[in-house]
Amino acid sequence: MSTPDLSRQSLTAGILGDALLTVEQAHRGQTSWQDVMHQLRAVTSTPIDTGPDSCLYYGGPALLFVLHSTTADGVPRFETARATLTDRVRSTLRRRLDSAEARTVAGDFAAFGEYDLFNGHVGYATLLRVTAAETDEHAAVLDYLSRLAAPQRVGDVWLPGWWVGHAPDKAMQTPGGHVNNGMAHGAAGILSALALAARDGHEVPGQRDAIEALTQWFARCGQDDDTGSWWPQWLTRDQIRHSADGPSLASRDDLAQPARPSWCYGTPGIARSLQLAAIVLQDEALQRDAERALTCSLRQLPSLTEKGICHGTAGLYQTVRRAAADAHDDKLAQHLPAIARSLPLAGDDPSSTTVRQIDDASFLTGESGVDLAALSGTADPAGDENFTRWDACLLLT
């Protein structure tokens, strides 16, 4: 008996990314809805996983995100499938929230799989914000994220609530765990999810306090040097200082220099999250500081050696586009042409672009994500040129 190919259900590395790209193209009249059907049949050729491991980037939630994108023009496509998946996703989320509550009561640390964008509750908050914002489950996951932003007492020290007991990567060990700052797995993702929901008018008690607390966290661990403002990708126990004001960055000389300007971990993602928070808080100084940090990070553009969304130029391009649309001035928009030169133009000969040589058709690191970002470059930077708001799954809009 053959093993089902579950990668088909993955937005991270599977063919769902191609399906999302095809939906965007269909809305633009660049391909047919029959092509969309063909892609979705390939995705659903195996049973869709809506179990405890399903998340925004895998299984039923990922498919629901793509199916919802087909309705961007107001045509109610795939109604039965969307309704069924929505019910199952809400049920799975309730069980996952119960598990997180039990973990909290036990006093254990969280893990990426519980709360982050790719696998956890930040991803669920993102999905429900665009598909089922008025549900009890959306309010419940916003409440969870708001509480996660509060410091937790561990013995005689205070640690950020999203502290994890594991390392950020097997190759980068952090004995005793670490606190993550990035959009994909850390504080920036939590902050963006809360701020975007509030910007859309969806708030629960404590949410605004959590947004303020997270901006204060970034203020306490931010760095300023001749490259501009930046933040460590993560901090270990030895790099945390404890005080009455809460945990912050200790004064140390062993911090790495600014990370590459990526969406997932670098200054661009963090700066976008702070910009979104500033808009919600109506804090003009914070917004200008965030936009300035993002602009300064673009000096490091040559350090990006990949094209993809996660840690390449496509992700940087989309982050800057969304930030530029909300910015006080046009300084960010002025940088878009330089970043765009690393992306294929719509209609280019595939053999003439670097991206087409990527041996990866996935959304996060490969071809479909780069193509979606390239399509964004065909309209006015200040406009909402993405018919499907596909970059909502990146916490950019």
Side-chain angles (χ1 to χ4, degrees), residues 25-368:
Q25 292 170 327
H27 280 301
R28 293 166 175 263
Q30 297 173 345
T31 192
S32 69
W33 286 103
Q34 188 62 37
D35 288 337
V36 173
M37 289 294 299
H38 175 75
Q39 292 275 5
L40 292 176
R41 286 194 191 99
V43 172
T44 57
S45 62
T46 55
I48 300 300
D49 188 351
T50 56
D53 293 330
S54 61
C55 51
L56 176 60
Y57 276 69
Y58 168 74
L63 178 58
L64 178 58
F65 182 82
V66 175
L67 291 180
H68 179 77
S69 72
T70 68
T71 68
D73 58 357
V75 177
R77 300 179 178 90
F78 306 105
E79 288 183 278
T80 300
R82 286 189 291 110
T84 299
L85 281 174
T86 298
D87 287 343
R88 292 180 181 175
V89 164
R90 292 171 64 187
S91 178
T92 299
L93 175 57
R94 287 195 294 270
R95 291 193 294 272
R96 289 188 57 151
L97 286 168
D98 287 344
S99 295
E101 184 64 25
R103 187 270 305 164
T104 302
V105 171
D108 297 331
F109 293 129
F112 284 172
E114 177 183 301
Y115 75 81
D116 73 4
L117 173 64
F118 293 161
N119 301 293
H121 289 136
V122 169
Y124 273 92
T126 300
L127 175 66
L128 293 184
R129 179 173 62 88
V130 298
T131 63
E134 303 298 335
T135 59
D136 291 342
E137 289 77 14
H138 184 220
V141 76
L142 291 176
D143 174 70
Y144 161 87
L145 293 177
S146 298
R147 290 185 287 116
L148 192 69
Q152 59 177 321
R153 189 176 182 86
V154 181
D156 59 349
V157 302
W158 286 90
L159 295 173
W162 65 100
W163 183 277
V164 296
H166 57 78
D169 185 273
K170 291 180 180 179
M172 301 175 181
Q173 291 302 307
T174 53
H178 78 287
V179 60
N180 201 285
N181 281 336
M183 186 75 95
H185 302 296
I190 301 168
L191 179 56
S192 291
L194 293 173
L196 283 164
R199 192 180 190 185
D200 285 353
H202 303 292
E203 290 192 49
V204 297
Q207 183 172 336
R208 194 162 290 254
D209 290 340
I211 292 171
E212 292 180 346
L214 287 164
T215 64
Q216 291 165 9
W217 162 258
F218 280 118
R220 290 196 295 267
C221 69
Q223 301 292 290
D224 290 286
D225 56 28
D226 55 3
T227 68
S229 298
W230 57 279
W231 295 267
Q233 296 181 82
W234 59 75
L235 296 171
T236 65
R237 286 264 188 147
D238 291 341
Q239 294 169 324
I240 292 288
R241 179 174 62 84
H242 310 280
S243 70
D245 295 329
S248 61
L249 173 64
S251 177
R252 297 183 61 89
D253 298 324
D254 61 354
L255 287 175
Q257 292 303 301
R260 58 189 171 185
S262 64
W263 161 81
C264 59
Y265 263 108
T267 293
I270 295 172
R272 174 57 173 164
S273 74
L274 288 168
Q275 182 195 39
L276 290 167
I279 291 170
V280 169
L281 298 174
Q282 297 182 320
D283 187 332
E284 185 171 332
L286 176 61
Q287 183 172 348
R288 291 190 183 278
D289 286 345
E291 291 164 7
R292 187 179 304 111
L294 178 52
T295 301
C296 290
S297 75
L298 300 180
R299 300 170 186 169
Q300 297 176 275
L301 178 60
S303 69
L304 291 183
T305 58
E306 300 177 43
K307 301 292 181 182
I309 288 285
C310 194
H311 31 68
T313 49
L316 176 62
Y317 182 76
Q318 199 64 23
T319 303
V320 174
R321 285 194 70 86
R322 286 303 190 183
D326 289 327
H328 280 105
D329 53 43
D330 64 351
K331 290 180 181 178
L332 282 169
Q334 290 173 3
H335 289 272
L336 286 169
I339 310 172
R341 283 194 286 271
S342 66
L343 300 173
L345 296 175
D348 272 355
D349 176 2
S351 65
S352 69
T353 62
T354 304
V355 65
R356 302 301 180 175
Q357 299 169 18
I358 298 175
D359 187 23
D360 180 356
S362 70
F363 171 72
L364 268 184
T365 59
E367 194 171 294
S368 59

